[in-house]
Amino acid sequence: MPSFFDRSFELSARTTFSGAFLDRLSERRDDSEFFRDLRAHPASRVVLMSEDAPLFASRGDERDVFFSFAEAESFGPLEDVILLGRSQERAYFAAHIQTNADTNHRSEGGTRGFSPAPSSKGVESVDLRSVALLGLVHSEALGLLAQAKSLVYWHRRHRFCANCGGPTASAASGWRRECASCGALHFPRTDPVVIMVTTDGESCLLGRQARFAPGMFSALAGFVEPGETIENAVRREVREETGIRVGRVAYLGSQPWPFPCSLMLGCMAEALSREVFVDRAELEDARWFTRAELSAMFAQTHPDGLRAPNSIAIAHRLLQVWLEG
Amino acid sequence: MPSFFDRSFELSARTTFSGAFLDRLSERRDDSEFFRDLRAHPASRVVLMSEDAPLFASRGDERDVFFSFAEAESFGPLEDVILLGRSQERAYFAAHIQTNADTNHRSEGGTRGFSPAPSSKGVESVDLRSVALLGLVHSEALGLLAQAKSLVYWHRRHRFCANCGGPTASAASGWRRECASCGALHFPRTDPVVIMVTTDGESCLLGRQARFAPGMFSALAGFVEPGETIENAVRREVREETGIRVGRVAYLGSQPWPFPCSLMLGCMAEALSREVFVDRAELEDARWFTRAELSAMFAQTHPDGLRAPNSIAIAHRLLQVWLEG
């Protein structure tokens, strides 16, 4: 085989939220009868988003994120019903629902002390970061919830046509919104974001935003802008945020990041300079870390209490690759 | 250096529209005084989009895509003025303008026989594909025009708030639109698209859409959907369009593709099956091509008159890598 396949692992397959397993049936999305039949089938299941958080049913000692339509509709009217896809003769949908379910929200930056409260109504919402961090569902269901969350969010924020201001309506099994006033078609949005570990071989460059948990440093990141390649976006972001010039860039893997609808493009970047100038509008701090220091951060034994990102972030995977390589 | 930098070339840097050279000054975008001062500076230049096509001035025997603001405003009122960035003390802007300039549109699928007519008014619009194919500007200006075209298009299609339907206004030097009604902030959209050459080592899999020029076959492509990695999007698209199962996927390079605002993610994909089932809703045809056959297509010596994509497309670059590798 040619050399572009030499990489013997797929980092993307190990990122959280990447466990999609459905046949997305995209060729059937415009078939409204097919959609109706699948929705009416008793084997079909729907995941429910209350605001931006998936709902869980308590079934004995277990939590379950999949509902029959009969059960789901007993909670209230479903909005924005989307056909996610099918697996082993079972169709999966997503929908938004307004509920008075108990809500568990993770505090920004960590889950220490977080424990979803059991719900008196037998249903609760748990924000998706906490679902991932606490391992409340298996990785395939997590991929499905990521798909569902981004799509439901997109529907809820696109009730109107950006072109003319008229109301839009869901179409194509939830994969398009259409404007009856001007005829514009709108498609789900996915925002590419570069995230990169910049290294001079011995050390890597990490930064922290003011909103991060205390002591946390992570890979730099930013949205890809119009007119940029992945590699040029990496160079611009690193230069803007730290003043470091970047030479070669290598893509290592990607991750769907449903907060609300990003595609994280994980890269390794080669530093051509050393002196850091922190852009204080973007970052609270940025500096170089040795492998030994980063290892201590992962082990939570850093003398200053510094920490590295947890395993749900692709930054964690990128930094592990660098530590091992 | 670690092995992820082993790749000795950067395919992205050789793709058409990737020649961005500006300091984008993103940390100054919210400084409206800075924006006003730069716009008023006599050294500043603006590129103009008439509908979706850049305007060219005839200056003697030369065409020029850069205008002073004084000259630009002599053609009519400027809409959606965007600060693109700065290079060597000169700031560059983009704007939309409604003109009665002569318009040169390339027929879909080819430029044979196309020649921009000289304009009686000294200004003409030429669609951006033709600008690239005919080499009307150097690669850095082409990158700037790509940035400008995607941004101007985004402004023109986002006059209203998708969240509430209210009018939006440009802010942040043209890098944001704001809704005064609901307070929503809107950012430029970039759509990630996977484009892949699928190969079993000996042959590669290409398809043709009905809208392609006669005889043209190219790499398969499709939008990345919510919940997908690059690699999984490649697998889904190839499976959907041709029935071929894909194993390993390698990212080789990316390209800004301003038609209207895509980021092309160029990949090589390893085929795990051989039998092609063409999805006739998406493709007119798809089949395997040997290296010899593809070489003949590039040389325009294929006995059936089949052709490969021209050099402005990243598909061309990917296929060249495969031919050479």
Side-chain angles (χ1 to χ4, degrees):
Chain A
M1 293 300 300
S3 61
F4 16 82
F5 293 124
D6 277 356
R7 203 177 296 151
S8 58
F9 68 98
E10 181 172 315
L11 189 135
S12 296
R14 293 187 284 130
T15 60
T16 299
F17 302 119
S18 71
F21 66 105
L22 299 175
D23 174 353
R24 292 182 172 220
L25 299 166
S26 66
E27 73 285 5
R28 306 298 297 273
R29 286 173 185 165
D30 274 313
D31 183 343
S32 54
E33 194 174 339
F34 180 73
F35 178 86
R36 269 200 311 276
D37 288 349
L38 280 184
R39 181 176 165 161
H41 196 290
S44 293
R45 291 294 178 271
V46 58
V47 295
L48 299 174
M49 295 285 153
S50 169
E51 302 294 331
D52 280 332
L55 282 190
F56 284 76
S58 298
R59 308 201 194 283
D61 290 346
E62 306 255 300
R63 285 196 190 77
D64 189 4
V65 78
F66 297 108
F67 297 87
S68 70
F69 271 99
E71 186 180 14
E73 286 166 335
S74 74
F75 303 139
L78 305 187
E79 299 173 331
D80 308 319
V81 180
I82 305 151
L83 174 58
L84 299 179
R86 187 167 58 185
S87 175
Q88 296 179 329
E89 299 309 305
R90 191 192 288 280
Y92 292 88
F93 293 80
H96 181 252
I97 191 166
Q98 301 207 330
T99 71
N100 52 1
D102 289 342
T103 303
N104 289 294
H105 281 295
R106 161 180 169 272
S107 61
E108 195 59 54
T111 54
R112 280 175 295 191
F114 171 85
S115 164
S119 168
S120 54
K121 307 177 204 66
V123 62
E124 61 183 334
S125 71
V126 186
D127 82 271
L128 192 50
R129 272 192 186 84
S130 301
V131 173
L133 282 164
L134 299 171
L136 298 189
V137 300
H138 58 79
S139 73
E140 293 189 336
L142 207 51
L144 186 150
L145 288 175
Q147 182 188 359
K149 179 175 182 298
S150 289
L151 284 166
V152 167
Y153 175 91
W154 174 75
H155 277 281
R156 295 185 66 222
R157 298 302 177 98
H158 289 78
R159 301 262 186 255
F160 296 89
C161 176
N163 188 51
C164 80
T168 57
S170 182
S173 303
W175 288 85
R176 195 167 67 223
R177 292 188 73 88
E178 299 179 350
C179 175
S181 309
C182 75
L185 305 179
H186 301 279
F187 295 91
R189 176 168 171 148
T190 298
D191 293 314
V193 173
V194 286
I195 180 163
M196 47 276 169
V197 172
T198 305
T199 172
D200 64 359
E202 299 308 309
S203 302
C204 72
L205 177 69
L206 303 178
R208 59 168 281 110
Q209 297 176 26
R211 67 177 180 81
F212 283 4
M216 169 78 76
F217 278 78
S218 188
L220 306 179
F223 290 100
V224 179
E225 294 190 348
E228 285 184 327
T229 61
I230 289 179
E231 293 78 4
N232 283 338
V234 166
R235 293 184 184 109
R236 176 183 53 75
E237 283 288 344
V238 174
R239 187 70 176 264
E240 283 177 3
E241 297 192 352
T242 64
I244 297 294
R245 287 182 296 112
V246 162
R248 291 175 293 175
V249 174
Y251 164 86
L252 291 195
S254 52
Q255 176 184 37
W257 190 246
F259 307 103
C261 46
S262 291
L263 172 66
M264 307 304 289
L265 302 164
C267 296
M268 208 62 68
E270 174 194 36
L272 299 179
S273 64
R274 281 284 305 177
E275 197 178 355
V276 176
F277 302 92
V278 179
D279 172 10
R280 300 287 172 188
E282 294 285 330
L283 296 177
E284 190 177 270
D285 197 7
R287 68 173 181 84
W288 295 99
F289 291 82
T290 62
R291 281 194 169 78
E293 198 170 7
L294 185 61
S295 291
M297 289 160 73
F298 274 122
Q300 303 196 23
T301 58
H302 191 283
D304 302 329
L306 302 188
R307 293 161 56 204
N310 63 51
S311 62
I312 76 166
I314 193 172
H316 178 101
R317 305 286 170 187
L318 296 172
L319 288 167
Q320 290 286 2
V321 168
W322 180 70
L323 272 183
E324 293 160 11
Chain B
M1 294 301 298
S3 61
F4 15 82
F5 293 125
D6 277 356
R7 204 178 295 152
S8 57
F9 68 98
E10 180 171 315
L11 189 136
S12 296
R14 293 187 285 130
T15 60
T16 299
F17 303 119
S18 71
F21 64 106
L22 299 175
D23 175 354
R24 292 184 172 218
L25 299 166
S26 66
E27 73 286 3
R28 307 298 297 272
R29 287 173 184 164
D30 274 314
D31 183 343
S32 54
E33 195 173 339
F34 180 74
F35 178 86
R36 270 199 311 275
D37 289 349
L38 280 184
R39 181 177 164 158
H41 197 289
S44 293
R45 291 294 178 270
V46 58
V47 294
L48 299 173
M49 294 286 151
S50 169
E51 301 295 329
D52 280 332
L55 282 191
F56 285 77
S58 299
R59 308 202 194 282
D61 290 346
E62 306 254 301
R63 284 196 190 79
D64 189 4
V65 78
F66 296 108
F67 298 87
S68 70
F69 271 100
E71 185 180 13
E73 285 165 337
S74 74
F75 303 138
L78 306 186
E79 300 173 329
D80 308 319
V81 180
I82 305 152
L83 174 59
L84 299 178
R86 187 167 59 184
S87 174
Q88 296 179 331
E89 298 310 307
R90 191 192 287 280
Y92 292 88
F93 292 80
H96 182 251
I97 190 165
Q98 301 209 330
T99 72
N100 51 0
D102 289 341
T103 302
N104 289 295
H105 280 296
R106 160 178 168 273
S107 62
E108 194 58 56
T111 54
R112 281 176 294 191
F114 171 86
S115 164
S119 169
S120 55
K121 306 177 203 68
V123 62
E124 60 183 334
S125 70
V126 187
D127 83 88
L128 192 51
R129 272 192 186 84
S130 301
V131 174
L133 281 164
L134 299 170
L136 299 187
V137 300
H138 59 77
S139 74
E140 291 189 338
L142 207 49
L144 187 148
L145 288 176
Q147 182 189 359
K149 180 176 184 293
S150 289
L151 284 165
V152 167
Y153 175 91
W154 174 74
H155 277 283
R156 296 184 66 223
R157 298 303 177 96
H158 289 79
R159 300 264 185 255
F160 296 89
C161 177
N163 188 50
C164 79
T168 57
S170 182
S173 302
W175 289 85
R176 194 168 66 224
R177 292 189 73 87
E178 299 179 350
C179 176
S181 310
C182 75
L185 306 179
H186 302 279
F187 296 91
R189 176 168 172 147
T190 298
D191 293 314
V193 173
V194 287
I195 179 163
M196 48 275 169
V197 173
T198 305
T199 173
D200 64 359
E202 299 307 308
S203 302
C204 72
L205 177 70
L206 302 177
R208 61 168 277 111
Q209 298 176 25
R211 67 177 181 81
F212 284 3
M216 169 79 78
F217 278 77
S218 187
L220 306 179
F223 290 101
V224 179
E225 294 189 348
E228 285 184 327
T229 61
I230 290 180
E231 294 78 4
N232 282 338
V234 167
R235 293 184 185 110
R236 176 183 53 76
E237 284 288 344
V238 175
R239 186 70 176 263
E240 282 176 5
E241 297 192 352
T242 64
I244 297 293
R245 286 182 295 113
V246 163
R248 289 175 294 175
V249 175
Y251 164 86
L252 291 195
S254 52
Q255 177 184 36
W257 190 246
F259 307 104
C261 48
S262 290
L263 172 67
M264 307 303 289
L265 303 164
C267 296
M268 208 62 69
E270 174 195 38
L272 299 179
S273 64
R274 282 284 306 177
E275 196 178 358
V276 176
F277 302 92
V278 179
D279 173 10
R280 299 288 171 186
E282 294 285 329
L283 297 178
E284 190 177 89
D285 197 8
R287 68 172 180 84
W288 295 97
F289 292 82
T290 63
R291 281 193 170 79
E293 199 171 8
L294 185 62
S295 291
M297 290 161 71
F298 275 121
Q300 303 196 23
T301 58
H302 191 283
D304 302 330
L306 301 188
R307 293 162 55 204
N310 63 51
S311 63
I312 76 167
I314 193 172
H316 179 101
R317 305 285 170 187
L318 297 172
L319 288 168
Q320 289 288 0
V321 168
W322 180 69
L323 272 183
E324 293 160 11

